[in-house]
Amino acid sequence: MSKRIVFFLSITLIMILAYSYLCIPDKFEIEGGSCYQGITAMFIRFFLTICGVLNVLSIARIGSKSKVKIAKITSIISLMIWLTGFIIHSYDGFLMGVKYFAPLLILNFIIVVLVYRNRENKTGEM
């Protein structure tokens, strides 16, 4: 994998994580009633942090020959976590769910495809 692609993925990941962390919809901030107001946003930000760390690990391991399996596992786990959040929270407001969850979901999918494509290239060389 070229350094240019890794750099582009890293910058895109930083921008999408900043968008997802700072521009959380108001619905998530007020969900939970008076006692638990904001608890949904707290859980979403927690899983966003986990997905961010998993994606960083995956991007960092894309280039190495021996660590392709780690990149594959971390990228798939991140995709599944964020896809689950999308499915759960887009039930009430589909358009809001798409606007909020789609950027990281698309990037996760791209990372998974690049990891598998890179893995096939590495195994073809041996």
Side-chain angles (χ1 to χ4, degrees):
M1 182 80 43
S2 72
K3 290 181 181 182
R4 196 174 186 180
I5 293 174
V6 171
F7 178 74
F8 176 73
L9 284 174
S10 301
I11 295 298
T12 307
L13 179 64
I14 290 169
M15 291 180 353
I16 289 174
L17 288 176
Y19 163 76
S20 297
Y21 194 82
L22 298 174
C23 299
I24 195 161
D26 290 334
K27 178 185 180 237
F28 298 145
E29 295 286 354
I30 61 172
E31 262 184 12
S34 60
C35 294
Y36 299 110
Q37 197 164 16
I39 199 162
T40 304
M42 181 186 71
F43 281 118
I44 289 174
R45 286 185 177 125
F46 172 72
F47 287 114
L48 177 66
T49 304
I50 290 174
C51 288
V53 169
L54 291 172
N55 281 324
V56 166
L57 285 173
S58 180
I59 290 172
R61 300 294 185 207
I62 282 178
S64 71
K65 287 184 179 180
S66 62
K67 306 291 184 187
V68 173
K69 193 171 192 175
I70 294 171
K72 183 173 82 170
I73 292 169
T74 57
S75 62
I76 289 175
I77 290 172
S78 176
L79 179 67
M80 290 299 122
I81 289 172
W82 205 244
L83 183 64
T84 303
F86 170 73
I87 291 169
I88 290 170
H89 292 293
S90 66
Y91 181 73
D92 292 335
F94 182 75
L95 187 59
M96 182 201 54
V98 168
K99 278 195 244 182
Y100 181 71
F101 288 98
L104 188 59
L105 199 59
I106 292 168
L107 184 64
N108 278 335
F109 183 73
I110 290 170
I111 291 172
V112 168
V113 168
L114 288 175
V115 167
Y116 273 97
R117 195 179 89 195
N118 192 39
R119 181 175 162 253
E120 290 171 2
N121 288 343
K122 300 276 187 214
T123 57
E125 291 174 0
M126 293 180 182

